[in-house]
Structure formats: structure tokens, C-alpha cells
Amino acid sequence: MVNGKIQTLNQFIIERQKEHPYAKGEFSRLMHHVGIAAKIVNREVNKAGLVDLLGDAGEENIQGETQQKLDVYADVHFIDALKSCGEVCGIATEENQHMITFNNALSKDAKYIFLMDPLDGSSNIDVNVSIGTLFSIYKRVTPVGTKAEMQDFLQPGNQQVASGYILYGSSTMLVYTTGNGVNGFTLDPSIGEFCLSHRDIKTPKDGTIYSINEGNYSKFPFGVKSYIKYCQENDAKTKRPYSSRYIGSLVADFHRNFLKGGIFMYPESVSYPTGKLRLLYECNPIAFLAEQAGGLASDGFNRIMDIQPKELHQRIPFYVGSSNMVKKIEQFLKER
Ligand code: P6P
């Protein structure tokens, strides 16, 4: 609310653009198109059960995962929206093995690179569990006017100019940062607009929620096993009433802990020797949001956003959330 009035995403983008007097509206136009694509995907996610978008598209994506029709739908519509906005020269997504470069007339002077997981947690679609889109935005490092190259995509997370997610849950939210704090917008279906609902989100420094797939317990590093036991001990002195919450959908698990306080962990294991989650379009965008809200994001030993990527779909162990909880797991991993 601004002076008691609803503030839409577009009004917010324009207001923030005024803070950058030399901004020519390019980033604003890009974010506006992210909002459009989010509404298009939301419409289909919300009625997937009715229009036979459920079930497998029959193909497999680069991850060897069977592509759900909605995965493909989301991928196609975000790529179309970003291609038509003319501000993006290249896109990389979980659904495509190779980077996609735009050198059409509209995009030839584009300066932004867009990385995304168009629909993360898609195995949850059929059972109506919240799912999400994750995105990360960089300035290109190669000359404007030339074809985007791999080095434009393989930038460390500390070079992100923006990141965010769309959470298709009991309500649909767009949460993003441009490096000046984190703001959340809730979609009002009655007017078809994302409206500012969570201004300047700050994540608690401590929390009592830990999120991890404990089914993999036997395969975790010893430090992770010790931390889980630490969370579960009922210590009269410190009164650690931790709760275990894990829905198996990254955006939903992160968003809950982000607002309430908590830690999300996806360690390396025998099945995933370098972790399961993707550095470029899952961990980096979430890490940027977490840090902007006062949290931390680590691979257990290093700041996620300082890691130099080596390839588009690189996996990484991931510990993110309340700063004191991330520091505690790092201590356990270091000592054990
Ligand atoms: P597991 C969903 O497939 C996903 O990529 C993330 O959304 C989620 O956090 C994770 O994998 C769940 O993985 O191995 O616990 O089922």
C-alpha cells in the first residue's frame, strides 16, 4: 500500500526506476515482461488438472527428467515473453541443454542475460503441491551488438543485477531483488495484477525450522548428520524446539523459511556427489534474495555467490536461510 492505495508491480518498477536517473527503462521493460510471463504460466498452473496439462510431455530434459507438459509450457512462454521484450540477448534454462541467444532485430542491442528454472518442483504438479519459477539476471560481459557467448552466462552470483522467484501456491507471489532489498507481490486475480504485499522482506537471523530430505540421512556427510541431531535434541537450556518441514519443492520450502526463519539444506550425497540443485538458476537467485534480506547462502564452506561457475547446469551443495543457522551448519561441517 502506498498512502493506503494498492501498488502494482508496474507502478513499483516505475517508482524504483526514478531512483536511477540515467536508467533508460530497459530493465523496467524486462521486469514488466517477467510479470506478464508469470501471469500466463500461473493461469495454466492453476487449471492444469482441467486442461490435460498434467502428466509427462513424453520427452526428457537435459537432466534426464521426464518433462511435464507444464515444464515445457512455462519454458516456452518465458522465452517468448523475454524474446519479445527486446532487452535480453541470451537465455539459459533448466529445460534446454544449450544456451539460447537472440540476435533478432529487436534484441540486437540487448544488454541482459536471463537464466531460469521455468518450473521447479514439477514432480509436484500432479499432486497439487506448490511449485515455482526461479530467475537470475546479469549484464552481458561481451560487447553489445554481438552474439551472446558462454562467458556471459558463467558469471559468479555476486554479479547478478536481479533475481527472484514466482511461487504458484495458495496464492501466486512474485518475490525479487535488484540489490536494494527484497519485495514480494501477490497476484490479485480480480484485477490480474501483482500487488505489493511484502515490502522490504527481512529474514529472521534465527529460526526453528530445518528443511532437508531426511530419507537421504545415511548418505549425508557426518557434519550434516550431527547438525540434524543437534536440531532434534530437546536441550532444556537452549530449548531448541526445531520443526522439520520439507515439501520437496525448492521455492515453497525456501519461501516458508525465508518469511518465518529457518534453514534449507540440500547436501552432497552418494546419489548427488556435488549436490542436486543447480548453481546458476536455482542457488544463485535464492542466495541473492537471502543475502539481501539478511540471510546467508553457502555450499557448506564458501559463499554461494562467490563461486565461479564452470558450466551451465553445474550442481552444488546448498545451505540457505537464517544467518545464525547457516553459520552453525558451516561450523559443524568444518569441525567434522
Ligand atoms: P528430493 C524438485 O525436483 C527439486 O529440484 C527442488 O525443487 C527440491 O528442493 C528438490 O528437487 C527435492 O529433491 O531429492 O528431496 O526429492
Side-chain angles (χ1 to χ4, degrees):
M1 293 284 190
V2 176
N3 312 323
K5 290 205 304 297
I6 287 174
Q7 185 171 26
T8 67
L9 174 65
N10 290 333
Q11 289 167 330
F12 183 86
I13 291 169
I14 289 163
E15 174 196 278
R16 285 299 173 96
Q17 182 180 315
K18 287 176 191 157
E19 292 166 7
H20 307 279
Y22 305 107
K24 289 181 282 179
E26 293 137 328
F27 181 75
S28 300
R29 206 168 11 261
L30 169 49
M31 273 312 296
H32 172 69
H33 281 77
V34 170
I36 291 172
K39 286 188 266 189
I40 292 170
V41 171
N42 175 67
R43 182 187 59 197
E44 296 311 311
V45 165
N46 277 351
K47 61 183 183 183
L50 303 174
V51 293
D52 187 29
L53 275 168
L54 293 179
D56 302 348
E59 295 155 39
E60 284 199 344
N61 65 12
I62 179 217
Q63 329 300 338
E65 294 163 347
T66 306
Q67 282 188 287
Q68 301 265 355
K69 288 177 184 172
L70 265 180
D71 275 352
V72 179
Y73 183 92
D75 195 49
V76 165
H77 282 271
F78 268 96
I79 291 172
D80 283 352
L82 294 164
K83 190 169 188 173
S84 65
C85 91
E87 303 303 343
V88 171
C89 59
I91 285 187
T93 91
E94 180 176 49
E95 303 302 331
N96 296 277
Q97 182 163 357
H98 303 295
M99 63 185 179
I100 299 163
T101 56
F102 298 150
N103 45 18
N104 55 330
L106 195 59
S107 310
K108 69 178 177 50
D109 296 328
K111 61 172 76 156
Y112 292 104
I113 292 286
F114 198 91
L115 295 115
M116 74 175 161
D117 184 348
L119 210 56
D120 176 79
S122 50
S123 54
N124 293 301
I125 292 172
D126 297 29
V127 292
N128 205 15
V129 162
S130 301
I131 49 183
T133 297
L134 289 148
F135 63 88
S136 177
I137 302 173
Y138 293 84
K139 282 265 183 72
R140 69 179 301 173
V141 294
T142 54
V144 171
T146 63
K147 195 162 178 256
E149 296 172 24
M150 187 53 78
Q151 60 183 311
D152 290 309
F153 295 85
L154 299 183
Q155 300 184 53
N158 56 37
Q159 295 302 304
Q160 291 174 99
V161 294
S163 79
Y165 56 77
I166 296 107
L167 175 59
Y168 310 96
S170 47
S171 61
T172 296
M173 277 193 75
L174 169 63
V175 177
Y176 82 98
T177 182
T178 57
N180 300 299
V182 180
N183 291 281
F185 300 78
T186 300
L187 184 63
D188 179 341
S190 67
I191 58 173
E193 291 286 359
F194 280 104
C195 301
L196 183 61
S197 54
H198 296 67
R199 183 186 285 272
D200 197 19
I201 297 172
K202 292 299 175 201
T203 193
K205 293 213 169 304
D206 267 307
T208 57
I209 298 171
Y210 71 99
S211 303
I212 189 168
N213 183 343
E214 295 193 54
N216 298 325
Y217 182 85
S218 62
K219 305 168 191 162
F220 286 151
F222 186 59
V224 173
K225 292 180 180 177
S226 306
Y227 181 72
I228 291 172
K229 291 303 164 209
Y230 167 83
C231 293
Q232 292 168 346
E233 281 159 9
N234 287 310
D235 178 318
K237 283 197 306 296
T238 57
K239 293 212 180 315
R240 282 195 301 275
Y242 286 28
S243 296
S244 173
R245 292 283 183 277
Y246 191 78
I247 197 171
S249 188
L250 173 61
V251 177
D253 276 319
F254 173 73
H255 183 75
R256 175 197 57 241
N257 296 1
F258 193 41
L259 298 187
K260 288 176 174 277
I263 185 168
F264 174 90
M265 300 172 277
Y266 207 106
E268 68 275 23
S269 67
V270 170
S271 324
Y272 294 107
T274 57
K276 176 182 184 184
L277 300 178
R278 308 294 178 170
L279 172 60
L280 284 181
Y281 43 76
E282 290 176 338
C283 301
N284 270 335
I286 285 183
F288 193 15
L289 291 162
E291 291 198 4
Q292 281 290 310
L296 289 176
S298 164
D299 68 356
F301 302 92
N302 310 288
R303 180 186 182 225
I304 284 287
M305 293 210 290
D306 288 341
I307 294 168
Q308 174 55 51
K310 295 182 178 60
E311 62 97 15
L312 279 183
H313 304 287
Q314 175 176 344
R315 299 178 192 266
I316 192 100
F318 194 40
Y319 303 87
V320 64
S322 295
S323 53
N324 290 343
M325 299 178 85
V326 175
K327 286 174 189 165
K328 179 63 84 174
I329 183 70
E330 286 182 325
Q331 175 197 337
F332 272 72
L333 286 165
K334 192 172 168 202
E335 290 168 358
R336 296 159 175 80

